[in-house]
Amino acid sequence: MNVLELNHVKKTFDGKLEVLTDISLNVQKGEVVAIIGPSGSGKSTLLRCATLLTAMDSGELSYMEQKAAWNDDSGRAVYALDLKKIRSYFGLVFQNFNLFPHYSVLKNLMDAPVSVMKRDPQEVRTEAMELLKKMGLEDKADSYPCQLSGGQQQRVAIARALAMKPEILFFDEPTSALDPELTGEILKVIRQLAEEKMTMVIVTHEMSFARDVADRVIFMDGGVIVEQGDPKDVIEHPQEERTRQFLSRFADR
């Protein structure tokens, strides 16, 4: 079953800067998809369109075979009137954590399940503590984000996304704000989620991680998908010249 389906997505900014040109992408349940490519290639815009943070100009968007957006008679994207159910299907982890600074770690995890999903606070608290334990942060429940390292904050952000029990998790460069030592912490967590068959789409510049953990790698450049396939094939034996040029920068790392 496709958890996510994007068809013929186009996005232009200011009426002239075409950022996404006819992008189509399906993600199946349990699949880990890594999206790589140079800065400005449209990777983050694609994630923002998929997570309803940015409106598409045209195209179709579905989660769990439920339509979130489609084209009207004029070929422009229109969105479903009630997107609450659609939003419950996905979680998004940003590169800069985006935690609530005035909430404790535990309250950061509990807030949305209790206030948005109207779930039982005691049940949510139990699950939140289990998630913090999974992230190695059970002793930080009463701490505030400013008291944590960047790696710890990002692990809290991942736990917060998981607390909503999404069908799919999106990561937008989850390690780009971290130094190399802390990067390993986050990659370890994502690797564990992959082993648990969590459906994920990860925009990343960590090539060896993408090769080892993803089921499929997509290379984007200039607002289009240039190449996609088995991670080892794309990263070690790219077919397209643009892919080869991009990956040559990482060859010596």
Side-chain angles (χ1 to χ4, degrees), residues 82-135:
D82 185 3
L83 291 166
K84 186 176 179 182
K85 181 68 173 171
I86 295 289
R87 291 182 196 279
S88 74
Y89 289 133
F90 61 79
L92 176 60
V93 178
F94 299 90
Q95 52 186 283
N96 293 317
F97 326 134
N98 283 27
L99 298 173
F100 296 118
H102 55 296
Y103 285 177
S104 69
V105 165
L106 183 59
K107 188 165 170 54
N108 261 283
L109 265 65
M110 291 182 60
D111 185 59
V114 172
S115 62
V116 177
M117 300 173 77
K118 310 299 183 191
R119 292 186 55 213
D120 174 58
Q122 197 52 51
E123 188 180 298
V124 171
R125 181 189 175 87
T126 300
E127 290 178 5
M129 289 305 296
E130 279 296 315
L131 283 169
L132 289 178
K133 186 177 181 181
K134 182 176 181 174
M135 299 291 158

